[in-house]
Structures are given as structure tokens and as C-alpha cells.
Amino acid sequence: MSSRVFADRREAGRLLGARVVEFIESTSGDDTMTRDGADAPVVLGLARGGVPVAREVADALSAIGPCELDVLVVRKIGAPGHAEFAMGALTADHLVVNDDVPRRLGVSHSVFDDVADRERRLLHTRERRYRGERPRVEPAGRTVVLVDDGLATGSSMAVAIDSVRSAGASSVIVAVPTAPADSPGRLRDRGVTGFVVLTTPEPFRAVGLSYDDFGQVDDDEVIAALDRAR
């Protein structure tokens, strides 16, 4: 797949949404997605950068039937003193450890747990900020489209997949604008139904290189995206 650069997350989301619709329509005969009432699909944007992309994907899907948008807060567990090295990632109800990264970095179980606990507290704070008093959208028995602004190591998406599958999602579609070429193979054994990606640069160096504007997404932008969807 050829490499391309997106103007920003919203443009990437619009293009990704069109591709997700194509995927859904091409597989609808296999009951990939139910389009009625409480069984309508759920688009989950990984906070924070994935939410503006997810909003555009949800808008595209809403044009062909009912769809809900929600946020999934995922926190990476960075190594002490080396935050760029992700030892794992977690959601509110699931944790994934990146192979033997903690061992190779000499991080003890107690230190790992301390870092994970700190990230878990931040995660709960952000969830309360984004949702307020609204309950989260439950994925049980529904098709879930997991959206981020791109994949690098894939640790955040891996824990997101495990989280929604353990919550009872009937099928999981991963949709990202940019990712390494081997990402589908690395994630499919986690029970992913489909993988939609727009560009797979070779060599893959960083998600941000696929965007002209890759500025940080703040909490207000996440909240605005969720409020507009509702």
C-alpha cells in the first residue's frame, strides 16, 4: 500500500469512515453488523487522539444506519525514566504487558505495579471528565469499531481489543488511518473480525509522519466530539 500524508485527524477520519462503510457493506451478508436499536454498532475512539478520527467514522456510519460513538481511555505504561518504551497498556478493566519488555529493562513487578496504578488513576479521572454522569456505551452483543489516529507498537489497540471482547462484543473491527504493514497479522490473533487501514508507510517510523498537522488533542476537543455525537 502506498504511503500518503493526511492534512489532519479530521481529514483522515473522513477518508477512513468511507473505507469502513465500504467494509461494512461488503460484509453485511455475513451479519458483521446489526443495524437496529440496542444492537446498533459502537464506534470507540481511543483517547485522546483517536476521538476526532472516530467522530468522522461515526458520522459516516450514521449515514447508513444507527450508530453510537463513545470514548475508550487507554493509558500506556511507560518504563521509569524511559517513557517512550511502553511496557504495556491498560483500560478501565483490562491490562496487557508487552512481551518481556519489563524484564529486559530490569523493571521489577512492584515498580511495574506502581506505574500501572498511577496510570489507572489518571485513566479514571479522564473518563469522569469526558463522560460526566453519562454511563459508557456497553459493547456486549454488538459490533465494535475501534478507532485510533494510528498504530505504532499496537499495545494500546491490543488492550482495547481485549477489553471490548471480554465485555462481550460480538465482533471487533480495527480502523486506523496509518499503521505498520504487519499490524493486521499481529492483531488478528486477538479475535479481530476486520482491519481497515489507509496507509502503511515503509519503513514505518512514527504515526505523526502521516499527518501535516498532528498537534496534541486536548480534553476539550474530546468532550466536544462526544457532545456533538450525542
Side-chain angles (χ1 to χ4, degrees), residues 148-208:
D148 206 351
D149 52 16
L151 297 184
T153 64
S155 58
S156 294
M157 188 59 73
V159 71
I161 295 166
D162 291 352
S163 179
V164 298
R165 289 202 63 83
S166 67
S170 60
S171 61
V172 180
I173 299 167
V174 172
V176 292
T178 181
D182 64 347
S183 295
R186 288 190 285 115
L187 294 176
R188 194 156 280 133
D189 63 358
R190 308 192 90 91
V192 175
T193 306
F195 191 97
V196 181
V197 61
L198 300 179
T199 184
T200 54
E202 287 289 352
F204 189 94
R205 294 189 175 92
V207 170

Side-chain angles (χ1 to χ4, degrees), residues 44-47 51 70-74 91 127 131 146 160 163-164:
L44 294 181
L46 275 62
V51 177
D70 201 2
V71 60
L72 181 63
V73 181
V74 178
T91 64
E127 284 200 331
R131 288 200 184 92
L146 291 170
S163 179
V164 298

